[in-house]
Amino acid sequence: MSWTILMLFLLIASLRTKKKPEDMTVSVIIPAYNESNTIEHVVNTVRSINYVSETIVVDDGSTDDTAEIAETAGAKVIKHSTNKGKGAAIKTGFKKSNGDIAVFLDGDLHTLTVEQVEKIIKPILNGEADITKTKFKREAGRVTELTAKPLLKFFFPELKFDQPLSGQFAAKRSFLNSINLEDDYGVDVGIVLDADVRGMRVKEVDIGKIDHVMSSLSDLNVVATEVVRTIVDRAMEYGRVTMMDSLGKAIRMGILGLSLITLGVFCIFFIRFIPLNLGLVIAGIGAAVAIFYIARIIRMSFKVIRRSEVRFQTIRSFFYMHSPIIVSGLILIAMLTTLLGAVHVDDGKISIQPNSRNLIIWNQPHENQSIDVRGPYTIDSAVENEYGSMRMPQEALNTLELNYGDSIYINDQKYNITSTLPGEDNIIRTPYTARNYLGIQIGDSISDSDLRNVFKNLYVEKALPISDQNITMDQGFIIKTNNEPGRIVNIYVNNQKVATTVGVLKNGTYTIYVDGSKYKTIQFNDQNPNKTYSIYMGNSLIKVEIGDRVPSDMEFAQSDEGKFLNFVST
């Protein structure tokens, strides 16, 4: 209930603080460079509009008295020591302004009227637009017609503005804060392109006839260069170049083909509810698409490299462009390699049963590690004359909680556990009699998560590391698959703790051995356990202490199953 009230309060507060369009403040920024003949008229026109809260003139390194005239007319003047460019002046003025709406006007408009300025501002104040740009009648327009419009039609065909370049425009501060303003004459078209791509409401308003000071051909050349650079930069940034060139299309289609193959393979092997035939069709279509377009990519790439004078730079550029399809191909190769490694051929029948490795993550550090990857394991026959041993990878022993040198009993036959042969990190070599009893065959693949199920309820004898050099100790366990309530067992020699082990103790009898012979049989009752048992070995007093409860998936062997503990003098 309290959270509901808090959220309601925050909603009401936000509604109160959010300004309505008509309540927004307006700042007018005028970049000016040697505009002493016209700047006074522009400033006076703007300042006569009562809802304009501030008028800022940014003197971009003028060599005349533009700054002084603007200041006398009542504008706030900010000076650049050198000419940095129109965009830089706009950025400076915007940073120093405070209005919710920023209006940008050129400083050379000697016929500017209040009505024209209001046409720029009103659509935003009325909530009709987020950005406004102007179109107007004028004699000039060569940069727009010869450079801007053709490029925009090619890269941004969705734009339908009559005059995409306009020095007069307005925008909400929230939008301008989210984009990077250009430092030069590309600032106007950059704002328009950013707004279009971001889905802002852009309105082109007709402000009638307007007179600019005519620019020289050399000045127009600078403007055209900066406008072209901005349009091309935005086309590359927003993916319009690779969407149109033939190599980019081939790369995209090649990636699509490889992705369809991967999807088809997943449908065949891992997604049960999708029919097999559908998975085959998806993979087949993907293979056809991938082969066709990858062949085109290779052909076009070699043509470009042969024609290029700077081979190294061209190859490096191609690497960056081709890296997505290379990575997609490597993913597919890795998947197919995994599947081919799970192929079984038996009497003319080919079966593929993929098994993934088992990722293990411990919440608490386990044996100085918190993450491990194990399996799967492939069953193979025992090495010649090794009928009494099993070769297992270390990962498998970690899962079974065993070590090299331990023993496992299968159908009353003892098998010593030894290390794998070089290059057989995931192979378990098992004698025929053991495989027959366990129900496994040569070539079977066992996931790590299923390994304990294969060896479930088997008796094992494992060594327990002990700090007393005069005594070694083995312990007998039954392998289980799930954790059950167990006990900590502490071992003391002459009142010094030398080892600790953990296992499940159930009500019943347990036998302690000394040098392989029965020494003492104890009766364990979980409700009323005798917590300490004493054994004498020569001059040493050994105590076995039953401690606190802890979970364990290894069960201590009772008397009819094997040895509970076996102490051996060295």
Side-chain angles (χ1 to χ4, degrees), residues 149 158 171 227 235-236 249 306 318 335 404 434 473 490 556:
K149 281 191 174 181
E158 73 275 13
V227 168
M236 295 180 65
K249 178 181 177 182
R306 282 200 303 268
F318 268 60
M335 178 181 292
Y404 292 126
M473 192 188 88
N490 297 311
F556 282 114

Side-chain angles (χ1 to χ4, degrees), residues 201-437:
R201 296 175 300 163
V202 183
K203 185 172 183 178
E204 186 175 46
V205 295
D206 189 346
I207 60 174
K209 190 176 187 303
I210 196 168
D211 291 325
H212 272 285
V213 175
M214 295 293 292
S215 299
S216 65
L217 189 60
S218 60
D219 289 338
L220 289 177
N221 180 52
V222 173
V223 174
T225 301
E226 294 170 351
V227 168
V228 168
R229 178 196 56 75
T230 302
I231 295 174
V232 173
D233 283 351
R234 291 300 193 279
M236 295 180 65
E237 179 180 353
Y238 295 128
R240 302 302 176 96
V241 175
T242 56
M243 286 172 62
M244 293 183 176
D245 74 292
S246 56
L247 180 59
K249 178 181 177 182
I251 290 174
R252 291 198 318 277
M253 295 303 294
I255 293 174
L256 174 62
L258 294 175
S259 300
L260 285 174
I261 297 173
T262 304
L263 176 61
V265 171
F266 264 93
C267 292
I268 293 169
F269 291 100
F270 303 107
I271 306 177
R272 292 182 178 272
F273 63 85
I274 295 181
L276 172 64
N277 291 337
L278 180 57
L280 292 171
V281 169
I282 294 173
I285 293 174
V289 172
I291 292 171
F292 178 78
Y293 282 102
I294 289 175
R296 292 193 63 183
I297 292 169
I298 294 173
R299 186 168 61 252
M300 287 187 289
S301 299
F302 276 117
K303 284 183 179 180
V304 174
I305 292 174
R306 282 200 303 268
R307 294 174 181 174
S308 174
E309 296 180 358
V310 187
R311 296 286 177 85
F312 174 75
Q313 292 182 357
T314 303
I315 293 173
R316 184 175 63 178
S317 299
F318 268 60
F319 172 77
Y320 288 122
M321 181 175 288
H322 291 64
S323 57
I325 196 168
I326 293 173
V327 172
S328 297
L330 291 175
I331 292 172
L332 182 60
I333 292 171
M335 178 181 292
L336 294 177
T337 302
T338 301
L339 294 174
L340 291 175
V343 173
H344 303 283
V345 181
D346 185 17
D347 294 332
K349 180 180 72 175
I350 301 175
S351 62
I352 305 175
Q353 183 180 355
N355 287 276
S356 60
R357 293 188 295 175
N358 187 32
L359 177 66
I360 302 171
I361 301 174
W362 285 278
N363 291 329
Q364 299 294 332
H366 180 79
E367 297 178 356
N368 297 323
Q369 65 181 23
S370 58
I371 186 170
D372 196 8
V373 179
R374 302 176 183 175
Y377 312 105
T378 301
I379 300 299
D380 206 340
S381 60
V383 178
E384 187 177 0
N385 298 323
E386 288 189 357
Y387 305 115
S389 64
M390 295 180 64
R391 292 186 177 270
M392 284 192 177
Q394 182 63 58
E395 294 176 358
L397 292 184
N398 293 341
T399 298
L400 295 175
E401 299 181 35
L402 301 175
N403 295 293
Y404 292 126
D406 295 343
S407 302
I408 186 168
Y409 287 76
I410 304 175
N411 198 21
D412 296 329
Q413 173 68 40
K414 179 180 179 181
Y415 297 91
N416 295 320
I417 299 175
T418 59
S419 61
T420 58
L421 297 173
E424 296 186 352
D425 294 338
N426 285 316
I427 293 178
I428 299 178
R429 290 194 171 272
T430 310
Y432 169 78
T433 53
R435 296 198 309 271
N436 188 51
Y437 182 84

Side-chain angles (χ1 to χ4, degrees), residues 79-119:
K79 291 184 179 182
H80 284 172
S81 58
T82 59
N83 182 248
K84 297 182 179 180
K86 178 181 178 180
I90 284 177
K91 287 168 66 174
T92 298
F94 176 67
K95 290 179 181 179
K96 298 295 184 179
S97 67
N98 299 305
D100 302 309
I101 299 172
V103 183
F104 303 97
L105 300 175
D106 289 339
D108 61 350
L109 305 175
H110 53 81
T111 61
L112 182 69
T113 66
V114 170
E115 290 75 17
Q116 289 175 326
V117 177
E118 288 191 325
K119 283 184 178 181

